[in-house]
Amino acid sequence: MTDQVLTEFAEGIWLTTAPVKILGMPLSTTMTVLRLGDGSVLLHSPIPMTDECRAAVEALGPVKHLYAPNTHHHLWVNDWAEAFDSAQVHAPSALTKKRPDVRIDRAHGAALGSTLADVIDEVCIEGFLLNESVLVYRPARTLVVADLVHNIGQPTHGWTKFYTRMMGFYDRVALSRIIRWTAFNDRAAARRSLDAVLEHAFDRIIVGHGTPIVTDARQTLATAYEWLPASG
């Protein structure tokens, strides 16, 4: 994938990336475009809007839904919401404190409208302080996440290579140890949520940072969360 150019990933799914810097590490962030049954599209984790990116998205169908998956992946939602003011904005209710300027039309966990429910399942990750919800796009058997897990491969940038090795997600599908240590305030609830995700049928995982997982996706996610004890 190249920045700001939509790439077809699977039937009804397109991806594009944009560069971001996190803790001094040059990484990328992924926006996922999902086509719905009425021909409209949902933008998951919107990236900066350029004329080129906007035109590419509009060529796929009317933008009717904007999805902020957690309280970190929200930076550019407002830009898209202003450009597509009739689009419904979905976000965690906790985002209101952090970004009172972001309009939230539907909070995560509320009932999905029929257009979404026909093709998407939403699973809220309880006990996770990032307030993330993940989407299962049933037509293409694909799980879409933001920070539930990373897959950044083998970065060559010195600091990024050092940090990701120290935090346990260099060259592996995993969650940063710092997130494991600090972002779970109810591990039993998080385990139940993760198990609920694993009950869904999916063959691929699109991650917020890194390369999509296209083989053994369910087992890969399960392995990445072996550190989280089974719930009673």
Side-chain angles (χ1 to χ4, degrees), residues 65-103:
H65 299 275
L66 302 170
Y67 197 93
N70 62 28
T71 51
H72 282 62
H73 285 244
H74 57 78
L75 296 178
W76 300 288
V77 167
N78 261 6
D79 294 340
W80 291 87
E82 289 173 5
F84 300 96
D85 57 6
S86 63
Q88 186 176 29
V89 178
H90 309 255
S93 58
L95 186 60
T96 300
K97 289 185 178 180
K98 191 173 185 178
R99 289 286 305 275
D101 60 311
V102 173
R103 179 185 94 240

Side-chain angles (χ1 to χ4, degrees), residues 124-131 148 179-195 225 227-232:
C124 301
I125 309 301
E126 305 294 340
F128 188 24
L129 294 177
L130 274 62
N131 299 107
L148 188 68
I179 297 178
R180 286 168 47 178
W181 294 336
T182 65
F184 290 86
N185 64 341
D186 188 336
R187 294 194 169 198
R191 181 72 251 182
R192 288 191 295 270
S193 297
L194 198 281
D195 289 344
Y225 271 84
W227 60 273
L228 191 62
S231 60

Side-chain angles (χ1 to χ4, degrees), residues 35-211:
R35 175 168 284 156
L36 306 177
D38 63 356
S40 67
V41 297
L42 175 149
L43 308 188
H44 177 280
S45 191
I47 62 172
M49 184 174 58
T50 64
D51 292 342
E52 180 185 14
C53 188
R54 175 174 177 170
V57 167
E58 289 184 299
L60 297 177
V63 177
K64 290 190 178 180
H65 299 275
L66 302 170
Y67 197 93
N70 62 28
T71 51
H72 282 62
H73 285 244
H74 57 78
L75 296 178
W76 300 288
V77 167
N78 261 6
D79 294 340
W80 291 87
E82 289 173 5
F84 300 96
D85 57 6
S86 63
Q88 186 176 29
V89 178
H90 309 255
S93 58
L95 186 60
T96 300
K97 289 185 178 180
K98 191 173 185 178
R99 289 286 305 275
D101 60 311
V102 173
R103 179 185 94 240
I104 300 177
D105 301 311
R106 176 192 159 272
H108 290 179
L112 293 170
S114 60
T115 303
L116 292 177
D118 284 347
V119 294
I120 287 172
D121 292 319
E122 179 186 67
V123 182
C124 301
I125 309 301
E126 305 294 340
F128 188 24
L129 294 177
L130 274 62
N131 299 107
E132 180 159 346
S133 292
V134 304
L135 301 180
V136 179
Y137 183 69
R138 296 194 302 274
R141 294 173 62 93
T142 298
L143 174 67
V144 186
V145 311
D147 294 312
L148 188 68
V149 73
H150 315 304
N151 186 31
I152 65 165
Q154 301 177 340
T156 57
H157 179 262
W159 165 242
T160 308
K161 185 174 182 179
F162 173 78
Y163 184 88
T164 56
R165 282 187 183 276
M166 291 293 293
M167 290 297 124
F169 62 108
Y170 176 86
D171 196 26
R172 69 182 67 182
V173 178
L175 188 64
S176 170
R177 290 191 180 106
I178 196 66
I179 297 178
R180 286 168 47 178
W181 294 336
T182 65
F184 290 86
N185 64 341
D186 188 336
R187 294 194 169 198
R191 181 72 251 182
R192 288 191 295 270
S193 297
L194 198 281
D195 289 344
V197 173
L198 292 170
E199 288 175 1
H200 287 77
F202 58 90
D203 303 319
R204 312 172 183 88
I205 304 173
I206 297 168
V207 296
H209 304 289
T211 305

